[in-house]
Amino acid sequence: MSSSPSFVHSSPLSATVGNSQRRRRSRFTYRHLSQLSGSSANCPLRVIAHVDLDAFYAQCEMKRLGVSEDTPLAVQQWGSFIAINYPARRYGLSRFSTVVEATKVCPHMIMQHVATWKEGHDKWAYHDDAPENIATHKVSLDPYRLQSRQTMTLIKECLPPPPVQRVEKAGVDEVFLDLSAQVHGILLSRYPELSTPAPYDDPTENLSRPPTTALEWGAGAVIDLDETETEDDDPDWDDVAMQIGSEIVRGVRGSIRERLGYTCSAGIARNKTLAKLGSAHNKPNQQTIVRDRAVQQFLSGFKFTKIRNLGGKLGDEIVSSFGVDTVSELLKVPIEQLKRKLGNETGTWVYQTVRGVDQSEVNPRTQIKSMLSAKSFRPTISSAEQAERWLRIFAADIFARLVEEGVLDNRRRPRTINLQHRHLGQTKARSCAIPTGRTIDEVVLFDLARTLLRHIIAEGGVWPCANLSLSVAGFEDGITGNRKIGQFLVTGKEATALRESAFAASSSLLPSVSAAAGQNFDGHVENSTKRRKLNDKTSDEGAGIQKFFRKSTDDSCEKEAVRKGVHATEKDVSSEHYTTIPPPLDKIGDDDDDDDNDNDDDEDASKKRTPIVNHPNAPPLTSDAQDQSQTQTQTINLDKHRQGSTNDQSRPSLPETSSSSISSSSISSSTDTFLCARCQQRIPRWDKDEHDDWHFAMDLHRQEQQQQQRGEQLGRSPLQLDQQQQQPQQQQLGQGQGQEFGQQRDLFHPTPTTAHQQQQQRRRKHYHRQRQEQDRTDKDTVKDRGMDRDRGMDNAVSCFSLDDTHL
């Protein structure tokens, strides 16, 4: 009997090849692949490179002097070396060697002193006597900065443009590259299966293993794997990414070598710390790949003081606290002990760093915060003239570096300038703001520095001077596109040409203007149109602001004309003359005609006559009335009634009208009229409110006249008499508070007589306020027209003295 077959997965996770099991799924997910495209610092597939030029200062001098690559050369600064090429290092020389030692060990070695600024010169240069004249020379590194800019430009040309390109300048001879986004694009092109979406749209799904079983690393040195890893394991996607990154770096290094003639070393790893250690691992002209599976093996052989940011005081503190100096020994220290000795943040950072964890990003643009140029004087200087000569050198040195920051294009510029002066161990400093409206150059910097120096000298006790330094700080982005005020103006020949062209243009228009406007006897052009507007008062244009008042008067005349026709019909009064139109209540005391214009001509007098027209809401007139209204107007001159009596009872009699009048049957039979209870006249309903106001105004006028007469006798004003009359009424109302409920309810629900009194009181107060406002207005009017308020009131009262039917 045969046994049943063993269960086989439809999608096997593993397969046996020989004696080893190989995983079919990657330990990286689709999310990690997406993070790689964004150059995320948390991505485990991240690829960072560090490119370091080999003995950069020495290579610059070798290129400048044209010596062969196998010639020993050292760059000298006073009595020590700042750079030694690799052929000279074969003799056991280093930067800490002295000139005397180097001469004995390698007599044929070239020792080139750096360029210097010489006192009194305005440009750096190479001086053979610079080592012997340290008192009158200052070191200049400008030649190396120029070559560094050329190298940086070439590296950026070898990479895709931003945002894929991420380059951080770490120094004059080193640079960090974040190749993650570029590697991601190459991965998708080489392995199309990575372009497919994640299964079930789940980004946490693991990627499939790379189809490659072996990777070609080229000429780069690959760090051995950790003890727990073997080369028999198939590479994962992190190894593939490192291999692509090494190809990119190899191409960059080849371009620098071919076009500039410089050799450089590089390190490729998953973060900046490991990449920097890798670039220095195999010098010169080599590159080192630190795979994720080789981090512990790579770091274990280093002293932790060699790791970036772990040297100096922090490194000394760790050595003294734990008695260790290598990474392998520091790995054994627990994190709690590190936190207790170094603090929580520092202890945690040290714990992660020695394990190869670094999530710092590659900053494409490291902004410079300040620039300094200084000189220590041996021997000291003792005069302001010597100090100013060095300030001129400092200003030129700083300006050369500002050009690199884009000060000429106004991209970035400093805000402040600072001068420090040291005398017998005492340092004095002065600073000031750099004017924003001026372009920064050597002259501006020197003038500001000299001013600061004079302020320091004015305090006294500054000589001899052992050290002098000038710095600029507070860099900010400049403002572009602005223009000076002078650029908006024209001067000289340009201004003269513009003035002549404008004069010629105006002269060509002069004949047409003269023909249209006319000229006076002096030959000056006169605007006849303006004079016509002032003189022609019969037209709307000539009337000016008066046309608005006349328009409102005409509107009132339309209503009054219809009402006058109704009243005249009921009384059988006819006339061929003009009927009087009383002015509105708010126009009392106003006289639109000047006293100097009493003798108006017929044309001006016609302005004061308003023909009768139908009110827009009035009932239609009969055909006979329409014919008569077109041929006869019914108004009367106001000047005739200004001479009448101001008393209401002494009204002027109405002039007789013609027998042809408006038919009373057409209006009396209409439903749009009402019968006034006081004057027993039939008035159109649309004029009921105005008619009631007229009666009320007449009542107030009579009361005011009576009060005025009484006031003249008692020596009181009408307002005081009005208040005296109201006091008995208020006392009478107050006495009812203690009576029965039926009498008290009159206070809350007044009888029609009481309500009418209150309404009369409110109207009386409103009328007095209008009179007071009108009095103030009349005073100003009287000053201009030579009239007093009494005469204006007399004219107004004469209008109110008309018969009720005339409103």
Side-chain angles (χ1 to χ4, degrees):
M1 181 176 179
S2 61
S3 61
S4 61
S6 60
F7 177 78
V8 178
H9 292 279
S10 59
S11 298
L13 298 179
S14 61
T16 303
V17 179
N19 294 328
S20 63
Q21 284 190 342
R22 297 183 178 179
R23 293 171 296 175
R24 294 300 181 184
R25 306 296 294 181
S26 171
R27 61 189 178 93
F28 301 103
T29 64
Y30 284 88
R31 176 174 294 169
H32 295 153
L33 185 64
S34 178
Q35 291 176 345
L36 182 66
S37 63
S39 302
S40 174
N42 300 324
C43 180
L45 297 174
R46 191 181 183 202
V47 180
I48 304 297
H50 180 263
V51 179
D52 186 12
L53 291 164
D54 301 324
F56 180 55
Y57 293 172
Q59 287 197 82
C60 292
E61 296 299 336
M62 292 172 64
K63 179 181 178 181
R64 185 181 67 88
L65 298 174
V67 300
S68 60
E69 294 183 357
D70 57 350
T71 302
L73 185 141
V75 179
Q76 180 182 353
Q77 179 176 326
W78 312 130
S80 60
F81 299 122
I82 61 174
I84 295 180
N85 65 358
Y86 287 91
R89 295 183 187 183
R90 299 191 186 103
Y91 293 89
L93 298 176
S94 65
R95 289 187 301 172
F96 302 102
S97 302
T98 62
V99 176
V100 178
E101 294 175 353
T103 305
K104 293 179 180 179
V105 175
C106 187
H108 61 281
M109 185 178 68
I110 300 176
M111 291 179 290
Q112 176 62 51
H113 198 277
V114 297
T116 58
W117 298 86
K118 188 175 181 179
E119 184 180 6
H121 292 193
D122 57 355
K123 180 65 177 176
W124 58 265
Y126 287 92
H127 300 90
D128 296 336
D129 59 344
E132 292 80 17
N133 296 280
I134 186 174
T136 57
H137 288 258
K138 180 188 176 304
V139 172
S140 174
L141 301 179
D142 288 349
Y144 312 131
R145 295 191 185 101
L146 176 61
Q147 295 300 315
S148 176
R149 288 197 295 268
Q150 294 180 1
T151 304
M152 181 66 66
T153 302
L154 179 58
I155 291 175
K156 292 181 178 180
E157 292 177 357
C158 296
L159 301 175
V164 176
Q165 177 190 120
R166 296 178 67 89
V167 179
E168 176 184 343
K169 184 178 180 181
V172 70
D173 59 346
E174 57 181 329
V175 61
F176 283 107
L177 309 177
D178 191 342
L179 306 175
S180 302
Q182 185 177 359
V183 169
H184 176 267
I186 298 176
L187 276 175
L188 297 184
S189 62
R190 292 185 182 180
Y191 304 96
E193 60 271 19
L194 296 178
S195 302
T196 59
Y200 315 108
D201 292 332
D202 185 5
T204 61
E205 284 286 332
N206 294 82
L207 298 168
S208 59
R209 299 280 294 193
T212 306
T213 58
L215 296 175
E216 177 62 37
W217 298 102
V222 182
I223 300 300
D224 296 336
L225 299 177
D226 297 339
E227 295 179 356
T228 59
E229 301 287 342
T230 63
E231 294 291 349
D232 295 334
D233 296 332
D234 289 341
D236 207 342
W237 289 112
D238 58 341
D239 297 327
V240 177
M242 289 291 175
Q243 190 266 338
I244 296 175
S246 66
E247 294 179 3
I248 297 172
V249 174
R250 189 181 299 112
V252 172
R253 292 174 51 241
S255 298
I256 296 174
R257 176 68 171 173
E258 179 181 357
R259 297 175 59 178
L260 298 179
Y262 301 138
T263 63
C264 53
S265 301
I268 301 96
R270 68 183 182 190
N271 55 52
K272 296 169 71 173
T273 298
L274 296 175
K276 184 172 177 61
L277 292 174
S279 64
H281 189 64
N282 290 306
K283 275 184 170 287
N285 200 22
Q286 296 290 328
Q287 66 183 39
T288 303
I289 300 96
V290 183
R291 294 174 290 177
D292 292 348
R293 294 183 291 166
V295 172
Q296 294 303 322
Q297 177 68 23
F298 177 64
L299 291 176
S300 59
F302 281 97
K303 289 186 176 183
F304 60 80
T305 55
K306 298 292 184 181
I307 299 177
R308 190 169 63 111
N309 299 328
L310 262 180
K313 294 182 180 180
L314 179 58
D316 297 339
E317 184 179 0
I318 295 174
V319 172
S320 61
S321 299
F322 303 103
V324 296
D325 60 353
T326 62
V327 173
S328 59
E329 294 174 342
L330 190 57
L331 288 173
K332 300 176 184 180
V333 179
I335 187 174
E336 292 78 9
Q337 190 174 354
L338 290 172
K339 290 182 178 180
R340 186 166 55 252
K341 293 289 186 180
L342 306 176
N344 290 334
E345 295 184 1
T346 304
T348 302
W349 180 82
V350 171
Y351 181 84
Q352 294 178 349
T353 301
V354 296
R355 286 165 174 77
V357 179
D358 178 19
Q359 294 183 353
S360 59
E361 296 183 354
V362 174
N363 189 358
R365 179 62 179 170
T366 303
Q367 300 290 352
I368 296 178
K369 298 180 180 180
S370 62
M371 291 182 180
L372 173 70
S373 183
K375 172 67 177 177
S376 295
F377 303 109
R378 302 183 186 91
T380 59
I381 59 176
S382 302
S383 65
E385 291 75 11
Q386 288 180 293
E388 290 183 4
R389 286 197 294 266
W390 285 109
L391 289 181
R392 190 178 298 276
I393 293 175
F394 295 163
D397 184 19
I398 291 177
F399 177 71
R401 283 180 278 171
L402 287 175
V403 172
E404 181 180 355
E405 285 297 306
V407 69
L408 295 180
D409 301 331
N410 202 29
R411 293 195 307 267
R412 296 194 74 216
R413 57 178 292 145
R415 291 182 297 177
T416 59
I417 183 171
N418 180 70
L419 178 65
Q420 286 190 349
H421 175 283
R422 188 167 72 238
H423 163 68
L424 299 178
Q426 182 181 4
T427 302
K428 296 181 181 180
R430 291 292 181 272
S431 62
C432 67
I434 299 176
T436 57
R438 300 177 58 183
T439 303
I440 298 179
D441 55 14
E442 299 180 25
V443 177
V444 172
L445 295 177
F446 172 70
D447 291 341
L448 293 174
R450 181 173 55 183
T451 302
L452 295 176
L453 177 63
R454 291 176 179 176
H455 289 171
I456 295 176
I457 295 176
E459 298 179 1
V462 296
W463 309 116
C465 176
N467 181 274
L468 203 61
S469 64
L470 183 68
S471 63
V472 292
F475 280 82
E476 62 182 0
D477 295 333
I479 300 175
T480 59
N482 285 354
R483 293 190 298 172
K484 296 182 178 179
I485 190 173
Q487 297 179 353
F488 293 92
L489 307 176
V490 291
T491 58
K493 296 181 179 179
E494 185 178 1
T496 303
L498 290 176
R499 185 167 57 253
E500 291 177 354
S501 61
F503 179 77
S506 61
S507 300
S508 62
L509 296 176
L510 186 59
S512 60
V513 173
S514 301
Q519 294 182 352
N520 57 14
F521 63 94
D522 291 331
H524 298 289
V525 178
E526 183 175 348
N527 194 340
S528 60
T529 304
K530 184 174 181 180
R531 296 182 62 188
R532 183 172 63 252
K533 288 183 179 180
L534 294 175
N535 297 331
D536 188 6
K537 296 184 179 180
T538 60
S539 63
D540 291 341
E541 297 178 358
I545 195 172
Q546 295 179 358
K547 69 179 181 180
F548 296 100
F549 298 102
R550 191 179 75 250
K551 188 175 188 297
S552 61
T553 305
D554 293 344
D555 294 340
S556 63
C557 291
E558 294 177 3
K559 295 182 180 180
E560 300 301 328
V562 176
R563 189 158 51 247
K564 303 307 179 296
V566 175
H567 297 163
T569 303
E570 292 185 351
K571 291 188 177 182
D572 295 330
V573 180
S574 61
S575 175
E576 295 179 357
H577 300 282
Y578 301 98
T579 59
T580 303
I581 302 174
L585 189 62
D586 56 350
K587 298 296 182 180
I588 297 178
D590 257 346
D591 191 22
D592 291 340
D593 296 332
D594 297 338
D595 293 342
D596 297 336
N597 296 333
D598 291 340
N599 299 325
D600 294 336
D601 54 12
D602 294 339
E603 181 180 359
D604 294 335
S606 65
K607 289 171 47 181
K608 302 180 182 179
R609 306 190 185 106
T610 304
I612 295 179
V613 294
N614 284 337
H615 193 278
N617 297 326
L621 301 177
T622 60
S623 59
D624 296 339
Q626 293 177 0
D627 296 339
Q628 294 172 4
S629 63
Q630 294 177 3
T631 57
Q632 298 179 0
T633 59
Q634 300 180 2
T635 58
I636 190 168
N637 196 335
L638 293 176
D639 295 337
K640 296 180 181 180
H641 293 281
R642 291 173 183 169
Q643 301 174 2
S645 173
T646 60
N647 195 328
D648 181 55
Q649 298 178 356
S650 60
R651 304 188 185 106
S653 60
L654 286 173
E656 296 183 355
T657 59
S658 63
S659 59
S660 58
S661 60
I662 303 175
S663 175
S664 61
S665 60
S666 62
I667 299 183
S668 61
S669 61
S670 175
T671 59
D672 291 337
T673 61
F674 79 99
L675 182 63
C676 179
R678 297 189 62 180
C679 62
Q680 299 300 324
Q681 303 296 329
R682 187 167 294 280
I683 306 299
R685 291 188 179 276
W686 57 79
D687 288 337
K688 181 178 181 303
D689 295 337
E690 187 175 357
H691 186 76
D692 293 341
D693 292 340
W694 188 87
H695 279 297
F696 175 69
M698 296 301 301
D699 294 341
L700 290 180
H701 179 64
R702 295 189 190 97
Q703 294 178 9
E704 186 178 12
Q705 283 184 339
Q706 295 174 3
Q707 293 176 0
Q708 185 175 4
Q709 294 175 0
R710 293 176 55 190
E712 292 176 356
Q713 298 175 1
L714 301 177
R716 299 181 182 178
S717 63
L719 182 59
Q720 293 175 346
L721 293 175
D722 188 26
Q723 295 176 355
Q724 182 178 1
Q725 292 178 0
Q726 296 175 7
Q727 291 179 358
Q729 298 178 1
Q730 296 175 357
Q731 294 177 359
Q732 182 179 0
L733 292 175
Q735 293 175 0
Q737 296 179 359
Q739 299 177 3
E740 60 183 1
F741 177 77
Q743 295 178 359
Q744 291 180 1
R745 105 183 256 257
D746 291 341
L747 296 174
F748 303 97
H749 303 280
T751 61
T753 303
T754 305
H756 179 71
Q757 292 176 356
Q758 294 177 356
Q759 183 179 8
Q760 293 288 344
Q761 180 180 355
R762 288 193 298 269
R763 288 187 175 184
R764 188 180 295 106
K765 291 181 179 180
H766 177 69
Y767 175 74
H768 283 303
R769 286 195 297 267
Q770 287 185 341
R771 286 295 303 272
Q772 292 175 0
E773 295 178 358
Q774 188 64 37
D775 290 344
R776 288 192 295 268
T777 306
D778 292 341
K779 290 180 180 180
D780 298 336
T781 305
V782 167
K783 292 180 181 180
D784 297 337
R785 299 179 178 179
M787 298 172 60
D788 55 4
R789 185 179 64 84
D790 296 333
R791 180 178 178 182
M793 290 300 302
D794 292 340
N795 295 335
V797 170
S798 64
C799 296
F800 280 111
S801 301
L802 300 178
D803 187 74
D804 297 347
T805 60
H806 296 165
L807 182 62

